[in-house]
Amino acid sequence: MDAPRADGAARLPLTDLTDAEVTAAVVACGGKPFQARQVLHWLWRHGVDDYAQMGNVPAQLRTALAERHPLRGATVAKADLADDGTEKLLLRLRDAETVECVVIPDGERTTLCVSTQVGCPVACIFCASGMAGVKRNLTAGEIVEQVLVARRRLGAARRLTNLVVMGMGEPLLNLDALLPALQRIHDADGIDMGARRITVSTSGYPRQMERFAAADPAYNLAVSLHAADDALRRELVPTSSAPVREIVEAAHRYFGRKGREVTYEVVLLEGRNDRPQDAVAMVEVLGALPCTVNLIPWNPVEELAAARGLRRPAKARVDAFADALRRGGLNVTVRRQRGADRSAACGQLRLRAAAAPPAG
Ligand code: SAH
Ligand code: SF4
């Protein structure tokens, strides 16, 4: 990986160091470079959360390393387990900020949904994550740690099979951390998850989509479109300046370059973007493209429902919208509601934690 950073990596958690920095730290602690490989193996392959578990690393080296670098940066502050096995985890970071990730078991599959920012700058009108703006980007280590924590909690019982970058934050506005984090997650010497099992969701930044397309390997891309009409989309995603046409063109180029069909996500809000004319507009824009449209009936966020008059559409409206798209030749899926949605949709666990009186 990269060369050690010029300002040194003092006190950073080991998860935030590049391989070269881990080697430099091991050598500075009196160890040999091959021992760095062992440390990295324990950290990423086995996902140990304590230096004491690094069996073949001499105790003296472990102690010296631990003095310089905590092994991890995040701790689990809260865990919410739903009846269907979905578990929402609130992680406390080193600066006491919190982010959430969700483990979703589903048959043979177990998917983890990770966050990339504390809050979100995009401020979609229906989303809890964007309600208080963005506090900061997550580091690459903080993104990968969500995977380590999830794997640890699943233990031997279930293997983590899929990753969706659909938690808090806009992933493509934090590409500098996202790309190395995904590399770690994909790396055969590390977590070893196939790129086909990794999906990144964006609210649509064409330039950043190009940069994402240039990175190897080919991850899946999901684009949160919500509306095919520019004026309506600006109402729903007020900070977005890119016209729908540019977003769709960038997504299509992604397909051309990577051979991966793009999924468009549409959060449906009653009377706002689920009307017959909204379906017609969507067919006009997407109808001829190889893609899938994933309809997501809005998970109500109490504060937003009250303040903005937003409503989740009834099933009949969702079905009618889906049928109209299908008649227009589109592949359509409708997202089922999962435990995590019922107990708290994306960004809401953090919201509740912030609103709750301090413990004790
Ligand atoms: N910022 C990125 C990824 C995180 S949001 C993006 O917007 O794509 C992941 C998905 O959850 C997006 O499609 C988003 O529109 C959707 N979402 C956010 N809040 C929601 C809610 N309350 N109900 C249903 N879907 C929601
Ligand atoms: Fe940010 Fe995505 Fe939420 Fe929009 S939907 S505010 S982009 S996290």
Side-chain angles (χ1 to χ4, degrees):
M1 281 205 145
D2 304 338
R5 12 187 151 209
D7 61 348
R11 294 303 303 161
L12 283 179
L14 212 60
T15 47
D16 259 320
L17 303 191
T18 62
D19 289 4
E21 286 167 344
V22 170
T23 305
V26 165
V27 171
C29 291
K32 300 269 188 295
F34 80 89
Q35 289 171 315
R37 299 270 8 127
Q38 295 173 333
V39 168
L40 285 163
H41 199 73
W42 285 112
L43 178 65
W44 299 118
R45 191 81 188 166
H46 296 291
V48 299
D49 52 14
D50 188 339
Y51 277 105
Q53 294 159 354
M54 296 186 176
N56 57 358
V57 178
Q60 222 179 345
L61 178 55
R62 280 189 261 139
T63 311
L65 273 175
E67 276 167 13
R68 283 168 184 248
H69 300 286
L71 193 57
R72 303 263 189 99
T75 51
V76 178
K78 193 169 184 297
D80 261 4
L81 185 63
D83 300 343
D84 62 4
T86 301
E87 189 173 42
K88 218 160 163 75
L89 301 169
L90 187 73
L91 301 188
R92 179 164 294 117
L93 309 175
R94 292 206 305 154
D95 56 0
E97 292 294 350
T98 52
V99 288
E100 55 192 48
C101 58
V102 189
V103 185
I104 310 158
D106 188 11
E108 296 283 283
R109 220 184 236 228
T110 304
T111 304
L112 173 69
C113 174
V114 295
S115 295
T116 51
Q117 297 183 306
V118 179
C120 183
V122 184
C124 301
I125 62 162
F126 50 80
C127 175
S129 298
M131 280 174 62
V134 66
K135 286 263 183 67
R136 69 170 174 86
N137 282 335
L138 295 194
T139 64
E142 287 168 339
I143 297 171
V144 191
E145 279 197 33
Q146 296 171 63
V147 180
L148 295 183
V149 166
R151 272 203 322 182
R152 196 93 183 143
R153 286 184 85 81
L154 288 168
R158 286 188 85 99
R159 209 168 63 83
L160 197 61
T161 57
N162 295 69
L163 183 81
V164 292
V165 185
M166 294 190 183
M168 206 185 293
E170 169 45 52
L172 297 197
L173 293 182
N174 187 15
L175 273 172
D176 287 345
L178 180 71
L179 292 176
L182 293 183
Q183 196 65 53
R184 279 273 185 230
I185 294 164
H186 173 63
D187 187 358
D189 290 334
I191 294 168
D192 195 18
M193 188 181 281
R196 284 184 178 278
R197 296 176 174 275
I198 298 176
T199 302
V200 173
S201 173
T202 178
S203 57
Y205 286 83
R207 259 190 316 124
Q208 284 82 351
M209 282 157 77
E210 297 289 343
R211 194 177 150 208
F212 184 62
D216 272 334
Y219 305 108
N220 298 308
L221 180 66
V223 176
S224 299
L225 195 65
H226 310 312
D229 170 79
D230 279 318
L232 177 56
R233 190 168 196 275
R234 252 195 314 276
E235 271 179 37
L236 306 174
V237 189
T239 61
S240 169
S241 55
V244 167
R245 184 182 41 81
E246 278 180 28
I247 297 172
V248 172
E249 278 170 11
H252 195 59
R253 277 196 297 277
Y254 191 85
F255 170 70
R257 195 150 173 177
K258 300 291 197 189
R260 294 282 164 87
E261 228 178 61
V262 171
T263 300
Y264 289 97
E265 291 162 303
V266 177
V267 171
L268 286 176
L269 297 157
E270 187 181 294
R272 298 295 288 266
N273 67 343
D274 72 341
R275 301 162 302 176
Q277 66 263 40
D278 300 322
V280 169
M282 203 151 281
V283 168
E284 262 169 34
V285 172
L286 300 179
L289 297 174
C291 64
T292 295
V293 179
N294 186 19
L295 301 179
I296 312 170
W298 184 55
N299 295 309
V301 179
E302 238 174 74
E303 295 81 343
L304 297 177
R308 298 177 178 161
L310 304 179
R311 279 190 311 272
R312 176 188 174 93
K315 185 171 177 303
R317 288 184 74 101
V318 176
D319 289 346
F321 196 89
D323 286 346
L325 296 188
R326 287 191 184 111
R327 277 197 306 276
L330 284 161
N331 290 328
V332 182
T333 55
V334 179
R335 189 179 291 178
R336 275 186 302 136
Q337 199 175 32
R338 300 273 319 186
D341 302 334
R342 274 199 309 276
S343 63
C346 270
Q348 290 184 53
L349 188 65
R350 175 168 168 268
L351 203 68
R352 301 270 168 272

